[in-house]
Amino acid sequence: MIALMSAALSAMLAFSGAAPSVPPQERIIAKMLLIEVAQDGDLNRASGNQYHGQCRRFQADSLLEAAQGFAPEGQPGVTLVLPIDHVPQEESGRPVGAVWSAAEEGTACAYEQVAAFDFDGSMSAKMNRQAAREFLSQARAGDILQIIAVYSSGERGTHTLMITQPYDPRDDVLYWCDSNFANKRIDGVKYGYVRARQAWAMNDVTGWLGVSANTGATLYRLRTDLVEAP
């Protein structure tokens, strides 16, 4: 909660123009947190990538709003985006659902890959879980985690979420906000809940990633060359 309050304060300063020294990345993250916290508990249609309730679309929409007025250095007319589609496994060499596609023409991905994990069949389950822990411990506030895993329910699937606090080994928890990990069906159509104040015990996540082949994850962070567009 302290981290969310700090982020909100940063955002307010950024909006007011009182903090010109705050880096663009921090200002965008603060705005994204405010946008997502304001929607906490909302139920949005999630049947397909085009709907706001779907996990990747939710983060993509939040980024698109928060990044208005920013662009990669030297590219003032380029729109910053979070790509919606996944790269096929035959192209990436990694499990489908772990890697984003390239940004469309006229846009630029706002994020860069900073870490990755893929289940390694040559290692024991314990070693895979340890590798997953080392990967996840690099998470910072504002990072986007793209994951394909086997969850506690036994279901295997992809998910996209935003980390809300830096990982701290003292509580060994990942804090995050997302849409559609919790959902319900209305007249046969899936709707996803926005959950802005969520947490996973690290042992749970490492178990989901380290349980079987074809699981993996990528940690994406806002790129370092972002500037205010003129």
Side-chain angles (χ1 to χ4, degrees), residues 85-102:
D85 294 324
H86 290 140
V87 178
Q89 188 167 3
E90 56 269 24
E91 293 183 20
S92 69
R94 300 185 60 206
V96 62
V99 185
W100 294 341
S101 63

Side-chain angles (χ1 to χ4, degrees), residues 7-208:
L9 176 60
S10 296
M12 287 187 289
L13 291 172
F15 293 148
S16 68
S21 62
V22 177
Q25 292 82 2
E26 292 185 20
R27 295 164 70 181
I28 292 171
I29 291 167
K31 290 179 182 180
M32 286 186 72
L33 286 171
L34 285 177
I35 290 166
E36 299 198 10
V37 167
Q39 299 177 68
D40 190 31
D42 286 358
L43 188 64
N44 300 302
R45 183 165 176 155
S47 295
N49 288 344
Q50 71 270 34
Y51 293 108
H52 182 68
Q54 202 269 352
C55 61
R56 274 168 288 155
R57 175 62 68 183
F58 177 71
Q59 298 299 341
D61 289 349
S62 297
L63 180 277
L64 191 64
E65 181 177 346
Q68 290 183 15
F70 298 94
E73 189 172 12
Q75 303 178 67
V78 170
T79 300
L80 292 169
V81 299
L82 182 160
I84 294 299
D85 294 324
H86 290 140
V87 178
Q89 188 167 3
E90 56 269 24
E91 293 183 20
S92 69
R94 300 185 60 206
V96 62
V99 185
W100 294 341
S101 63
E104 296 180 356
E105 185 176 355
T107 68
C109 183
Y111 297 88
E112 54 190 3
Q113 178 179 322
V114 292
F117 166 84
D118 293 318
F119 182 90
D120 186 342
S122 69
M123 300 195 309
S124 67
K126 181 178 180 180
M127 293 173 66
N128 271 288
R129 288 194 297 271
Q130 181 58 37
R133 173 178 288 276
E134 292 172 1
F135 157 73
L136 292 164
S137 66
Q138 302 173 63
R140 299 181 187 175
D143 288 353
I144 299 291
L145 179 64
Q146 179 63 47
I147 183 172
I148 178 164
V150 179
Y151 305 102
S152 300
S153 64
E155 295 184 2
R156 181 178 182 273
T158 64
H159 195 52
T160 307
L161 57 91
M162 181 170 66
I163 303 295
T164 57
Q165 296 184 38
Y167 170 69
D168 187 338
R170 290 174 296 183
D171 65 3
D172 207 32
V173 168
L174 284 180
Y175 294 93
W176 46 276
C177 50
D178 76 341
S179 176
N180 198 29
F181 197 77
N183 52 65
K184 67 183 295 185
R185 290 190 178 273
I186 301 174
D187 296 329
V189 178
K190 188 169 72 171
Y191 287 76
Y193 286 99
V194 175
R195 303 187 301 171
R197 300 178 179 87
Q198 298 302 306
W200 280 334
M202 184 68 89
N203 282 340
D204 288 344
V205 193
T206 58
W208 299 340

